[in-house]
Amino acid sequence: MGCDRTVLAILDNSYCEEELENGDTREVMKFIPFLAPYKVCVLPLIKKNHSEKAQEIYNTLSKYFMTAYDETGNIGKRYRRNDAIGTPFCITVDDETLNNDTVTLRNRDTMEQIIIKVSDIVDYVKERIEF
């Protein structure tokens, strides 16, 4: 019984509804990254242009972390879906990835986006999800 209450408390304390600048509400599961079911999600910006490279990145990341892949809907909706399930990081693959081997990495909690080299993603995520 005590364990059940602990799990419920963790879930309850992780769930947030945040009002965005444009007036929309975003639902977020702010799990400690170590506890998040998926650590990262790979998102090709444009399915027909970026899917191949996105699949390569997904295949690499899935060797290290529970990784999701989403190419359905616009990028904002994909970010929101991952916020709602608690994914700490989203990786967006776009033309810059194809040209410069960089991706946009978005942090779930701050919504901050940074540009990072593909070769640095694993180390970046590992450092931030360790317990």
Side-chain angles (χ1 to χ4, degrees), residues 49-108:
N49 297 348
H50 306 120
S51 288
E52 186 176 333
K53 184 65 173 179
Q55 272 300 151
E56 288 176 28
I57 293 169
Y58 168 82
N59 290 338
T60 298
L61 295 177
S62 64
K63 294 174 187 174
Y64 300 92
F65 318 109
M66 286 298 295
T67 305
Y69 182 92
D70 189 352
E71 60 185 17
T72 307
N74 73 48
I75 196 73
K77 288 181 181 176
R78 290 185 266 165
Y79 283 149
R80 294 293 173 261
R81 281 195 293 265
N82 279 281
D83 292 345
I85 64 169
T87 308
F89 303 104
C90 285
I91 305 290
T92 303
V93 176
D94 57 17
D95 288 341
E96 292 301 311
T97 309
L98 304 179
N99 297 330
N100 303 327
D101 212 34
T102 60
V103 295
T104 302
L105 185 142
R106 177 183 178 270
N107 181 295
R108 171 201 66 207

Side-chain angles (χ1 to χ4, degrees), residues 4-5 11-12 20 26 29 33 50 58 69 85 90 107 109 117-120 123 127:
D4 291 342
R5 281 189 230 153
L11 291 174
D12 186 48
L20 304 175
R26 127 180 140 119
M29 289 299 283
H50 306 120
Y58 168 82
Y69 182 92
I85 64 169
C90 285
N107 181 295
D109 295 337
K117 292 192 105 3
V118 170
S119 59
D120 294 337
D123 288 338
E127 288 174 12

Side-chain angles (χ1 to χ4, degrees), residues 117-130:
K117 292 192 105 3
V118 170
S119 59
D120 294 337
I121 298 170
V122 170
D123 288 338
Y124 182 93
V125 174
K126 271 186 181 179
E127 288 174 12
R128 285 153 184 83
I129 65 166
E130 288 181 351

